Amino acid sequence: MADMIKGNNAIAEAAVRAGVKLYAGYPITPSTEIMEYLSKRLPEVGGSFVQAESELAGINMVMGAAACGVRALTASSGPGISLKQEGISCISDEELACVVINVVRYGNGLGTLYSAQCDYHRETRGGGNGDYRCIVLCPESIQEAVDLMAPAYDLAEKYRIVTVMMTEGALGQMMEPCEMPDFIEPKKHPWGFDGKYSYKKIGIFDRNSMTEAVALNKKHETIKAEEQRWEEDGLEDAEYVFVAFGLPGRSVKGAVKQLRAEGHKVGFIRPITTWPFPEKAFENINKDVKGIISVEANATGQLIDDVALTIKKTIKDRNVPSYCLPCVYGIPTIKFTKEGLHKIISGEIKEAY
Amino acid sequence: MAKARKVPAIIDNPMSFCPGCGHGIVVRLIAECLEELGQDQNIIFALGVGCSSLLGGGLVIDRLHCPHGRASAVATGMKRVQPENTIVAYQGDGDAYSIGIAETINAAYRNENFTMISINNTNYGMTGGQMSWTTMPGQVTTTSPLGRDCEVTGNPLKFPELAASQFDVAFAARGAVTSPKNINKLKKYIKNGLEAQINGEGYSVIEVLSPCPTNWKMTPLNAMKRIDEELIPYYPLGVFKERKEN
């Protein structure tokens, strides 16, 4: 029987086991336990922990460590990740590899402490200035978050890109039974600085942005083709398909099970990567589907944009209506999702696209 | 016959600094010190923005171009994971003391074991000569067109003195590039700072008073004269924090 463990602590321990050697960050609820845990744990395994003076400094310390080819981590919540955007953009531009954890809380500006998914647009679009994307992993459980930690670094290093693990306040704060993975000793990358100029690098003013743009697009296309992850069920005969990630995704699975038992032909797609968005899953949807429904924890509906665009790309011969059920914050209950479907069928909720 | 001095091996390309700029002298001194200390194949630079970033094309060393003001945070991350490498944060005054003052101060505050070398030319060089936190009282810049009024902008910042008096750093000094005598002293400061790091004594900072003829709108010679006559009386040269064993 697996041990009960708090989400943030489990993620932090998984990071240690994935070979993280530096954590630098700044406290913010509901992510802080990650840094608290690592302040004790990293020195035990010969790693370094820095309580940075700000989120800006924290992500730049991560950049320094990443430049040396070492696995480095920072974690924060919505407003803190906003401050880190400069660094994330620069790390992306330098094609360094690191993992950033966003334990999402609700709201604009300072926001609140409620669990939410309102940073979807920011995380999946890159967030900072310039042309770049981050690979975004969205676990539905503590176990899945733990299991995704080593792959998060593998992906970051394979593509020399930033991987964002986008969890939610509730996931960070709740406890579940969880099996921990084994320790990994990451290999040293040839592009990591060693002081000997063994990785030849050109100066900023000598770069050819046209050539780099072609290479960047190629990299993004490869990631889109190779790295989509999702869970799905009931798509073959579905009249309505729900799309939800993270904790809402887990809740929607329960709603789909109950609705099926009540005779409704429904299915679900739970994106595990929200970038790349799992477009391949949409190809498995029944071509006569009546509607597609995003269920998300924000006010305005953000996931719906990708859902509507993707169904447009996969079912081209007609306009499949897409609906949005935003529960603002928290985790949508099974009741919320079921009532949402009934309102959509009765016409009480109109399509978003 | 005068003996020609060998150019350090890590300097391979011409760097595109303006005529009369002081950066080139400082880069040469750092390179010589690294070579003499046997660190020229063990060095990583965290380069600041602005004119400091021009080093990127001229040095055959590991170097990362850091976001605006953040070089000391980047250097912190580098040193924490590669303590066996010598790490230098190379920044200008606008980068280190204005936008990056938080990262700069906090690295000194934590006594991070790397060396920060800042080129103080009392303005933002690359963006065209705006006021920085080291611009002199009354100095005309593009953002202090009537001369810097310290009543409304605060007074020019003296970072090595601040680091030496407030924090437990290993070494803090200020030099200048105005004469062979000053250049030789500056080289000693740089060497001391690097040795402090190599010996694990902690944070070292060397500030360099350096001319910016282009933005000061002066001839190179007059720019050097300005440093001697106007800057040094306000920014005294010397060592503010001696190394413990010295």
Side-chain angles (χ1 to χ4, degrees):
Chain A
M1 176 68 191
D3 291 331
M4 290 288 282
I5 187 165
K6 189 173 186 173
N8 281 339
N9 290 352
I11 289 168
E13 177 61 29
V16 172
R17 289 170 187 240
V20 166
K21 285 289 180 282
L22 178 126
Y23 179 93
Y26 191 83
I28 180 171
T29 306
S31 73
T32 308
E33 293 86 357
I34 295 174
M35 74 180 291
E36 287 177 341
Y37 185 94
L38 292 173
S39 69
K40 177 172 183 291
R41 192 74 176 98
L42 272 178
E44 287 176 355
V45 295
S48 189
F49 170 85
V50 193
Q51 179 164 336
E53 63 270 23
S54 68
E55 285 88 350
L56 272 156
I59 189 70
N60 280 284
M61 290 170 191
V62 165
M63 185 177 183
C68 297
V70 172
R71 288 191 167 180
L73 177 71
T74 191
S76 192
S77 187
I81 301 285
S82 294
L83 293 170
K84 292 183 196 289
Q85 289 306 323
E86 172 196 86
I88 294 170
S89 175
C90 287
I91 292 168
S92 304
D93 185 52
E94 292 282 352
E95 296 200 285
L96 299 174
C98 73
V99 173
V100 173
I101 299 173
N102 183 0
V103 187
V104 183
R105 73 187 209 186
Y106 180 70
N108 314 327
L110 291 179
T112 71
L113 302 184
Y114 301 126
S115 180
Q117 297 183 309
C118 58
D119 295 345
Y120 178 85
H121 273 160
R122 201 237 331 253
E123 302 308 337
T124 56
R125 264 61 190 170
N129 57 298
D131 278 334
Y132 74 94
R133 297 274 181 132
C134 302
I135 293 176
V136 186
L137 301 173
C138 302
E140 61 155 13
S141 66
I142 294 173
Q143 186 67 60
E144 191 173 51
V146 162
D147 292 342
L148 284 172
M149 185 53 71
Y153 279 98
D154 293 341
L155 287 168
E157 289 160 5
K158 181 177 178 186
Y159 296 104
R160 298 184 57 181
I161 199 166
V162 176
T163 301
V164 173
M165 185 174 284
M166 182 161 64
T167 73
E168 296 154 56
L171 189 78
Q173 296 299 318
M174 70 191 194
M175 292 182 85
E176 284 191 299
C178 181
E179 297 273 5
M180 280 296 158
D182 292 335
F183 282 85
I184 294 167
E185 193 54 56
K187 68 176 190 323
K188 179 86 180 162
H189 297 282
W191 42 266
F193 289 158
D194 57 3
K196 295 177 180 57
Y197 198 52
S198 47
Y199 171 59
K200 309 290 180 197
K201 196 167 178 294
I202 58 164
I204 183 170
F205 299 109
D206 306 317
R207 292 170 58 167
N208 184 332
S209 295
M210 283 294 181
T211 310
E212 286 181 15
V214 173
L216 183 68
N217 275 317
K218 199 176 161 200
K219 175 161 99 173
H220 284 179
E221 290 306 319
T222 306
I223 294 170
K224 281 194 247 182
E226 305 287 333
E227 306 300 348
Q228 297 179 22
R229 294 175 183 230
W230 72 92
E231 186 188 359
E232 63 169 66
D233 197 25
L235 301 185
E236 326 75 49
D237 64 343
E239 292 179 346
Y240 290 92
V241 172
F242 294 98
V243 184
F245 67 92
L247 292 173
R250 184 167 164 183
S251 168
V252 159
K253 279 155 67 177
V256 165
K257 200 172 173 187
Q258 288 191 11
L259 286 164
R260 277 262 169 194
E262 292 163 16
H264 292 278
K265 286 184 177 172
V266 290
F268 75 86
I269 294 168
R270 179 177 70 84
I272 297 170
T273 53
T274 49
W275 197 86
F277 195 71
E279 295 181 355
K280 290 176 185 172
F282 285 64
E283 290 163 9
N284 302 333
I285 294 174
N286 166 27
K287 300 298 175 210
D288 297 322
V289 67
K290 291 179 180 167
I292 191 147
I293 307 162
S294 79
V295 183
E296 42 189 312
N298 55 45
T300 55
Q302 299 184 21
L303 173 68
I304 180 71
D305 292 356
D306 279 336
V307 168
L309 195 60
T310 308
I311 198 71
K312 180 88 180 161
K313 282 159 100 174
T314 44
I315 300 181
K316 292 178 180 145
D317 59 334
R318 66 191 175 93
N319 186 30
V320 178
S322 40
Y323 304 88
C324 187
L325 299 177
C327 72
V328 187
Y329 54 78
I331 304 157
T333 60
I334 287 176
K335 191 177 165 210
F336 170 88
T337 303
K338 286 171 71 177
E339 285 177 357
L341 178 71
H342 293 311
K343 285 178 188 170
I344 287 165
I345 292 171
S346 70
E348 195 180 329
I349 291 177
K350 301 291 177 199
E351 70 252 38
Y353 292 102
Chain B
M1 194 180 132
K3 197 176 156 191
R5 296 188 71 174
K6 185 172 73 72
V7 177
I10 61 171
I11 300 175
D12 77 332
N13 289 316
M15 282 168 256
S16 49
F17 296 114
C18 302
C21 169
H23 272 282
I25 301 170
V26 184
V27 175
R28 172 70 182 246
L29 294 179
I30 298 170
E32 285 179 6
C33 288
L34 288 169
E35 202 166 84
E36 288 164 23
L37 292 167
Q39 295 297 306
D40 62 332
Q41 290 302 305
N42 191 41
I43 174 72
I44 307 176
F45 265 56
L47 294 176
V49 291
C51 302
S52 308
S53 56
L54 292 172
L55 264 68
L59 294 177
V60 283
I61 52 163
D62 284 338
R63 64 274 193 297
L64 189 72
H65 192 214
C66 307
H68 310 79
R70 320 292 172 226
S72 287
V74 173
T76 296
M78 290 170 167
K79 191 67 183 186
R80 291 288 186 116
V81 299
Q82 310 258 94
E84 68 282 4
N85 285 139
T86 297
I87 311 288
V88 169
Y90 186 93
Q91 304 177 263
D93 51 279
D95 188 50
Y97 301 152
S98 298
I99 190 171
I101 189 63
E103 286 77 9
T104 303
I105 280 190
N106 278 285
Y109 168 78
R110 289 188 305 265
N111 199 21
E112 294 289 340
N113 191 39
F114 69 84
T115 304
M116 200 275 272
I117 296 169
S118 72
I119 308 302
N120 178 1
N121 60 13
T122 76
N123 73 164
Y124 285 78
M126 188 169 273
T127 49
Q130 293 78 25
M131 187 185 83
S132 87
W133 289 186
T134 59
T135 294
M136 290 295 283
Q139 182 177 338
V140 172
T141 72
T142 59
T143 54
S144 55
L146 302 177
R148 182 175 186 180
D149 179 0
C150 294
E151 290 289 315
V152 294
T153 64
N155 290 303
L157 183 73
K158 300 178 183 181
F159 180 71
E161 287 93 327
L162 173 69
S165 65
Q166 301 300 314
F167 309 127
D168 186 27
V169 300
F171 182 75
R174 180 182 293 113
V177 293
T178 52
S179 65
K181 188 180 159 195
N182 281 339
I183 289 171
N184 284 336
K185 275 190 185 169
L186 173 61
K187 185 173 174 182
K188 280 190 188 123
Y189 301 157
I190 292 170
K191 208 166 195 176
N192 254 292
L194 293 169
E195 279 175 334
Q197 180 187 167
I198 293 160
N199 297 340
E201 295 164 35
Y203 182 82
S204 48
V205 53
I206 300 98
E207 180 180 303
V208 183
L209 299 178
S210 176
C212 183
T214 301
N215 288 308
W216 294 357
K217 303 189 186 349
M218 288 178 176
T219 64
L221 274 179
N222 283 342
M224 289 294 190
K225 216 167 135 191
R226 178 188 177 226
I227 295 176
D228 281 333
E229 290 174 3
E230 191 189 344
L231 300 194
I232 291 176
Y234 186 88
Y235 293 112
L237 305 185
V239 177
F240 305 107
K241 183 69 184 282
E242 294 277 2
R243 291 170 59 201
K244 285 190 182 77
E245 73 265 31
N246 284 2

